[in-house]
Structures are given as structure tokens and as C-alpha cells.
Amino acid sequence: MSAATTVREAPAEVVARLRDTFRTGRTRDLAWRTAQLTRLRALLTERGDALAEALRADLGKSRKEAYRTEIDFTVREIDHTLERLEGWLEPEPAPVPAVLKGATAHTVQDPLGVVLVIAPWNYPVQLLLAPLVGALAAGNAVVAKPSELAPATSAAVAGLLPRYLDTDAVAVVEGAVPETTALLAERFDHIFYTGNGTVGRIVMAAAAKHLTPVTLELGGKSPAFVDRGTDLETVAARLASGKFLNAGQTCVAPDYVLTDPETAPALEDALKAAVEALFGPDASTSPEYGRIVNERHFDRLVGLLGSGRAVTGGDHDRDEKYIAPTVLADVAPDSPVMREEIFGPVLPVITVDGLDEAIGFINDRDKPLALYAFTQDPAVRERLLSETSSGGVGIGLPLAHLTVSDLPFGGVGESGMGNYHGRYSLETFSHRKAVLDTPLG
């Protein structure tokens, strides 16, 4: 393993150096892959507090939240992968037709080569390192690009990764738009981008010049349908917990709630109580409530607060980048808060006449990254599953589907393409190569 270096290389030099390493074949070896994953796990367990401190500096995350949603989350992904990787890499036999009697067929997972992982700022540890787990497990060399909008975390990761991983095969490139643009001009064998659709289009256009495949993990307005007759206290507690985690800056957070006019008032009261139960009467004093990443996003979010009547919240402090957990009622479907992904601590409640109108409302908009349903009616569940399209579905609990490593995580349509987690990460960063072996004698 090469010693860590602080010399800044040009993106072209980084990619060329990593490609030279990949061509030696060393990253293909199972022992190398497991060693890198084990070292990455050691980084997270030995230097977790340094990462947690960086997350607090960037996003106001508590130590508890930093470990739960970023550090420990990634450790579990590594453990899941290490336990199963050798089995996942076993060749898979395929039947051959009678005309090829005597031949055998199978598929193998082939590493792609040099891949680029571009991470966002909202979960800047998890969303950089969890894809890295899959890329290393698949036997690739990797360029990791942390988000410049989370500068403390970017610096921490850039300082730590070279101390733990093979620097001939894994490189960190820090920077903003110029550095990312320079990286995207290079030829990669796969690009994995997490972020918004605007930049996703730029990534895809750059990748197209080299016919490079892409995984785009985007976002969108993830709806939550609350059926009449549900336990609203439980529903509100789960909605508030999922929505206001990381001050609402979560790609799969419930973006808005759909319910009927009779249920809405009681649900609004329950949400107000749930927010207070989570963060106390003044969330600005709660150690478990985060902050908005920067002033630009703060100003955008404050501009959405007038889209309805504040059931709770609405308070904000620009100097502290603080916006209280806010629930809005009497929200019109065409109001500003409904025209874009909120990505902050504002939860609108929209009333619809019933399930038919809710399904129509969802289908009239871009396909979301997640859809959440709170219902005890199997027929309602089935209709939401079969009559809507989304990256994933959570029934009864938001966000939790991300924690199941054997489930693929990814979007559809405007919310993204491709998926990862567990074995799906290995497949994303591999090529399934077909092999037919026909005897000569």
C-alpha cells in the first residue's frame, strides 16, 4: 500500500494512475477486496468520532444521529457484504440447448474498471462510502468525490481514506464545480451520482460522450397517504420522525401528506404533538435537531413557508441556519411548496376526497423515490402498489426500507435510474459476463 500523499494530481492523472493499477489485476483478487472493506470498516469504527464531529460542523447533526444514519449504517453494509461476497462471486451456471450437447455455460461478475462516485452533502459520509463498498466489493478502482457543500466532512474523508485504503486504487478528489467538471471530462467505466436531477442531467450528458453507464440516485416529492381510520398518534409519530430527521434534508423523507378532509384536522393535531414529543417545545434547543446546510437553501425554504397555515413551526433564524419543524395545512396543490422537492423541515398536508383522487394526484406528478402508505386495508395497499410507480414503497414506516440490505434502493423516472445496497451494489459495479465452454473433442 502506498503512503498517503498530499500532492494534488490533475483528474486526468488520477484516472490514468488508477487505470494502471486496475490493469495489473490486483483489485480483482478476493483477498484484496475483503482487505479494503475491512480497512474501510476500521476507518469508520476507529475514526467515527472525527466523522461525527465533521457532520455536526456541516449539518448540526447530533453524535447519535451521525452514528445511526451514517457511520453505523455503512458499517452494517460492509458487514453484510463481507459475510456474503465470496458466495455472490461464485459463477452461476446456465442451461444450454440440446444442440450444444457437451457444452457448459455460466456467468461471472466482472469488475468494470475505474469508477467515479459523486456524493451529495446531506448524508456526506453514508452516500459516499456506501457506494464505495459496492465498488470495492466488485473489484474496481475508485475515484471518490465528496461534496464541497459539506466541507468539514469532505476534508475529514479526504484525510482519512488514504490512511486506510490502497491509494493506488482509491483516490479522493475534493473541489466544487470546476473539479467535478474536469473529472466528468475523463473516461470512466461507471459513474455513480447522488444528488438532484439538474446535475444528474449534466452527469449523464458527460457520461454519454464516452458511452459510460450511470447510476443516478435522485429525489423527488415522495408522498405519504394516510387512510381514514388509522391510529393517527402512531402515524404522526412515524411521519414526524422520518420527515424531520436531518432537518428534513433526506432524499426519501415524506415530502407531503395526502389524506381526506375528515382525517386532516386530527392528523394535524397529532403531528403537532409528535413534533413536540421529539424535540420539545422549542426545537432550536434540542440536541437532536439539525440545521440547514447553508444560507442559499435556508432562503429557499423560508420562501416556502407561506404556502399554507402553520399548524406548528414556522420559526426561523438565518444566523443559526435554523428552521423549526413545520407542518402546513390548507395547502393548495399548485402552491410553491408543491412545485419542487422540499428537502427541508416543511411538511404540507393536502386533502383529497379518497384513494382514487390520491392515486390520481400521485400519478399526475413525476415518479417519486419513495411512496409511503399508512393503512390497515389490504385493498388500499394493493391499489397503491399496483396503480402507482415509485422507487420503493414503505407501508407503515418511512425511510426504513433503506436499512434492509437485501432490498434494492434506487429511483425510477425523474427520481433516478439504477439501484444499490447489498448484492445490488455488487451488480451495479460489475458486468455479468456470459461464458460458453464447448469441448474441442
Side-chain angles (χ1 to χ4, degrees), residues 84 226 264:
R84 296 162 176 80
V226 179

XYZ file of all heavy atoms in Angstrom, residues 84 226 264:
23
model
N -21.086 -12.197 2.718
C -21.690 -12.873 1.569
C -20.896 -12.763 0.270
O -21.250 -13.398 -0.726
C -23.098 -12.290 1.331
C -24.060 -12.556 2.477
C -25.272 -11.618 2.406
N -26.247 -11.917 3.451
C -26.141 -11.524 4.717
N -25.085 -10.814 5.097
N -27.063 -11.836 5.601
N -52.306 8.820 4.053
C -52.839 8.426 5.355
C -54.312 8.107 5.185
O -55.139 8.983 4.898
C -52.640 9.543 6.402
C -53.236 9.106 7.745
C -51.156 9.856 6.567
N -57.859 15.034 8.168
C -56.798 16.039 8.199
C -56.692 16.804 9.523
O -55.588 16.913 10.078
C -56.951 17.007 7.025
